[in-house]
Amino acid sequence: MKEILAQISKQHDVKFNYIEDEIILFALIPPKKELNLEQKLNYLSSETKLTFHKISSKYYTISNDKKLDKPLCGYLINEETKTGIENALIIIENTNTSTFSDTNGYFELPKISSNTIKIEHQGFENIEINPEDLYVINCPNFYLKPIIQTLEEVKTGLYLTTGIFKKNDGSNY
């Protein structure tokens, strides 16, 4: 997003004022170069939920919806039982940032990034989510499918062998 704003700024001779943590979250396809400034800003606004305020002919401020001004969070839910999934690992790809879900399946990311978020748990199928999916008013639910393994039938032969008897004193003969 920062690169897109720099391109628009250069092409249309405008300047943007923003808080970096509010725009770093978004990774999107740049608008077409042949669009005018207003069309580009409308495109960015619709794709990101950010608001562009015109201060003067050359200056714009970018802000987010204050209702969205919260940590990136979510709930991991078992698709079959509809209960929270505890101890799932939530990782922001290509960073050292990770966290675990609590007993209710709740997680909160300590860092904002535009990188994909991976969710892993040994009893469930792994999923990947975009950080924009967490950039909503309430913490969203993510449903994970349990991994079900079918084991092959195991047949056993005789458990005890014949010809061994136990005496009253516990010894064998």
Side-chain angles (χ1 to χ4, degrees):
M1 180 70 162
K2 196 173 180 179
E3 292 170 11
I4 293 171
L5 292 173
Q7 290 171 356
I8 293 172
S9 183
K10 186 176 180 181
Q11 185 179 10
H12 295 281
D13 193 28
V14 295
K15 300 230 184 268
F16 296 101
N17 185 12
Y18 53 84
I19 297 171
E20 192 156 338
D21 280 351
E22 291 181 357
I23 69 159
I24 196 170
L25 178 69
F26 302 102
L28 57 143
I29 297 169
K32 296 177 182 173
K33 289 188 178 191
E34 59 270 7
L35 296 176
N36 66 34
L37 177 61
E38 186 177 333
Q39 291 170 321
K40 288 178 183 176
L41 297 182
N42 286 339
Y43 165 77
L44 293 177
S45 183
S46 68
E47 292 292 315
T48 64
K49 303 178 190 109
L50 294 172
T51 306
F52 292 80
H53 302 282
K54 186 174 185 176
I55 303 299
S56 69
S57 61
K58 291 192 180 257
Y59 291 94
Y60 290 81
T61 59
I62 304 171
S63 60
N64 68 352
D65 183 342
K66 290 300 170 199
K67 291 181 231 160
L68 299 173
D69 200 10
K70 61 168 187 58
L72 297 183
C73 59
Y75 288 92
L76 303 179
I77 308 294
N78 183 324
E79 190 176 79
E80 290 183 2
T81 65
K82 308 298 186 235
T83 57
I85 299 171
E86 184 177 11
N87 290 327
L89 177 63
I90 298 92
I91 306 166
I92 300 175
E93 283 190 332
N94 303 319
T95 70
N96 292 331
T97 304
S98 63
T99 189
F100 288 92
S101 58
D102 68 10
T103 54
N104 298 318
Y106 176 79
F107 68 90
E108 198 171 280
L109 291 170
K111 179 182 174 187
I112 296 175
S113 170
S114 62
N115 295 354
T116 302
I117 298 164
K118 289 176 66 175
I119 299 174
E120 299 176 352
H121 191 285
Q122 65 184 9
F124 295 87
E125 292 179 6
N126 296 343
I127 64 169
E128 291 184 354
I129 57 176
N130 292 318
E132 299 98 62
D133 295 338
L134 300 174
Y135 197 65
V136 293
I137 293 171
N138 297 316
C139 299
N141 293 339
F142 296 97
Y143 293 90
L144 277 65
K145 292 181 183 179
I147 296 173
I148 299 172
Q149 292 182 328
T150 307
L151 301 176
E152 292 183 30
E153 181 180 359
V154 177
K155 293 183 180 182
T156 62
L158 292 173
Y159 179 68
L160 297 174
T161 186
T162 57
I164 298 178
F165 300 98
K166 192 170 258 194
K167 295 182 182 179
N168 287 341
D169 66 359
S171 62
N172 297 328
Y173 71 90

